[in-house]
Amino acid sequence: MFRSAEFRALWAAELVSICGDQLARVAFSVLVYGRTGSAAWAAAVYALTFLPALLGGVLLGWVADRFRRREVMVLADVARALLVVPLAVPGIPLALLCPLLVLVVVLASPHTAAQGALLPEVLDGEELLERGFAVRQITNQSAQIAGFAVGGALLVLISPSVAILLNSGTFLLSALFVRVGVRRRSAPAAVADGAGPAALSWLADIREGARTVFAHSRLRTLALAVWLVGGYVAPEALAVPLADELGAGPWAVGLLMAADPAGSVLGALVISRWVPERLRERAILPCTALAGVPLVASMFVSNVVAVVVLWAVTGALCTAALVPAQAVFVRTTPGEVRGRATGLAASGLIAAQGLAILLCGLLAERWGAPLAVGICGAAGALLASALMLTRGARAERAPYRVRAAREG
């Protein structure tokens, strides 16, 4: 994959952006928990770095199919860099911080949709594309580990406001990588054929993206599996209160937050290198269901290292499901609506993470962080099992429908 200069540019842009995002997430968690002393408030603000993405994916995913995708990515990065600057103002009221944070996350959706739609053009071939997703996942999770670990240590030396300002700089660097390293392409067919953006129905574009995902049983199942995987990220938001409840110092916060991405690196390596290609899609739903089990087990563990190991196993199983699900989803989606469908699916993943974080924060406020993590794991495992049984039932009925159609 790295023989492609365009892939290298997209990879580098994503790497620096994720490092900045993770640094900012640690800063927001420390800042809000330090000011309020509330696990619910800390989780709520942490959730705002995820949850509004669904709104952005629904409302703005069509942009990636109507304008030049490189330019969409660059403009989204620059806009986010400018919006992050006010968040670095010391003592900014939560009433102002929250809506600004929502705007930053919403603007990530067209960037993600454009990037996902570009990848099949940059990496030509099914095997190369799937390996590209695996490399991105390994890189993303490694960057999260570095962001969390370095972020926790860095906040000993600098204030959360300075850390948030550094995040603004990473957006500008990402925009530079994309602008210089990705070649200019024409806008997708709908605009290139003469139907200018002003003549297109915005609501029709939104409906088309949703219809593409939900009317196709394979895409629908993949999207739901990906969104369930997103829910397992919730324990990260409870790292600060959990470390406090376990009697561990600040050093434990970075370890707990880095556990899931550390396991994810291992999961991406295993699924992309040692699992035969014909078995990868079949493993998506079982891995999604099994990923909740270690979180349930962590509810009964009081040792920080043991909790880190269990959370890492969850991360490995989640990525073993996520990598093939993303690749199959992109290959299955028609090119002319790929931006909208990919934007909706990717935004749903981020929104699922935010919703799970918000709910777990409320549960932790009432019953404590360990029980909240266990409930998160149990809910995810049950929902994934139900999806697996539903898909199995549809597969059993399919031969009868085919035979009836032929006889009819």
Side-chain angles (χ1 to χ4, degrees):
M1 287 76 66
F2 287 100
R3 292 177 182 174
S4 166
E6 290 187 290
F7 181 78
R8 291 198 302 270
L10 291 172
W11 173 82
E14 193 170 23
L15 173 63
V16 297
S17 182
I18 289 173
C19 286
D21 287 345
Q22 300 313 110
L23 175 60
R25 285 189 174 116
V26 176
F28 283 129
S29 295
V30 172
L31 180 68
V32 175
Y33 190 70
R35 285 171 59 178
T36 65
S38 167
W41 262 112
V45 173
Y46 194 89
L48 287 179
T49 65
F50 296 94
L51 195 55
L54 182 58
L55 178 65
V58 172
L59 299 181
L60 298 176
W62 60 272
V63 173
D65 289 327
R66 301 306 183 191
F67 300 97
R68 294 187 180 94
R69 286 163 177 161
R70 183 189 69 172
E71 280 65 28
V72 168
M73 295 178 67
V74 171
L75 289 175
D77 273 336
V78 171
R80 287 186 291 172
L82 295 175
L83 285 170
V84 166
V85 173
L87 297 176
V89 175
I92 181 173
L94 293 180
L96 180 58
L97 182 148
C98 292
L100 282 174
L101 195 54
V102 168
L103 285 176
V104 172
V105 178
V106 165
L107 285 173
S109 298
H111 183 283
T112 302
Q115 182 189 50
L118 268 177
L119 276 174
E121 300 177 30
V122 172
L123 298 176
D124 188 20
E126 292 187 7
E127 180 65 19
L128 196 63
L129 179 62
E130 188 158 327
R131 287 181 178 271
F133 274 110
V135 167
R136 287 181 62 228
Q137 188 68 14
I138 291 170
T139 303
N140 292 354
Q141 301 305 318
S142 299
Q144 288 188 38
I145 297 169
F148 282 141
V150 174
L154 197 59
L155 287 173
V156 177
L157 304 174
I158 64 174
S159 69
S161 296
V162 174
I164 294 168
L165 196 59
L166 289 175
N167 186 36
S168 176
T170 63
F171 284 132
L172 293 176
L173 192 56
S174 171
L176 180 63
F177 282 136
V178 173
R179 179 63 181 80
V180 173
V182 178
R183 69 179 176 86
R184 183 178 182 179
R185 289 175 172 82
S186 60
V191 174
D193 290 342
L200 298 170
S201 169
W202 176 56
L203 290 176
D205 280 335
I206 294 173
R207 286 196 301 268
E208 181 64 17
R211 189 193 66 79
T212 300
V213 174
F214 292 108
H216 192 297
S217 62
R218 191 183 192 190
L219 291 178
R220 183 173 62 248
T221 299
L222 290 169
L224 291 174
V226 166
W227 296 347
L228 284 174
V229 166
Y232 290 128
V233 79
E236 286 182 7
L238 301 179
V240 175
L242 180 62
D244 188 39
E245 290 185 41
L246 294 177
W251 61 270
V253 175
L255 286 178
L256 289 168
M257 291 182 115
D260 182 277
S264 185
V265 172
L266 177 61
L269 286 170
V270 171
I271 196 69
S272 62
R273 296 189 66 86
W274 294 305
V275 176
E277 187 177 358
R278 67 182 185 279
L279 298 179
R280 291 173 191 168
E281 186 173 356
R282 297 179 188 176
I284 292 172
L285 291 178
C287 286
T288 304
L290 289 173
V293 177
L295 297 183
V296 176
S298 73
M299 181 173 58
F300 305 101
V301 175
S302 58
N303 182 274
V304 171
V305 175
V307 173
V308 168
V309 171
L310 289 169
W311 287 12
V313 174
T314 291
L317 289 167
C318 285
T319 299
L322 189 60
V323 167
Q326 289 175 320
V328 174
F329 187 94
V330 169
R331 289 199 305 264
T332 307
T333 306
E336 64 273 13
V337 293
R338 187 177 292 137
R340 281 164 279 183
T342 302
L344 178 62
S347 301
L349 167 63
I350 301 173
Q353 293 172 333
L355 182 60
I357 287 168
L358 183 61
L359 292 175
C360 281
L362 296 174
L363 292 173
E365 186 77 6
R366 185 173 181 84
W367 292 308
L371 182 58
V373 172
I375 292 174
C376 170
L382 290 173
L383 290 172
S385 299
L387 182 60
M388 191 161 46
L389 292 173
T390 302
R391 182 174 175 81
R394 283 202 306 269
E396 289 180 2
R397 290 196 299 268
Y400 296 97
R401 290 198 298 270
V402 171
R403 186 177 65 190
R406 287 174 179 170
E407 293 175 353

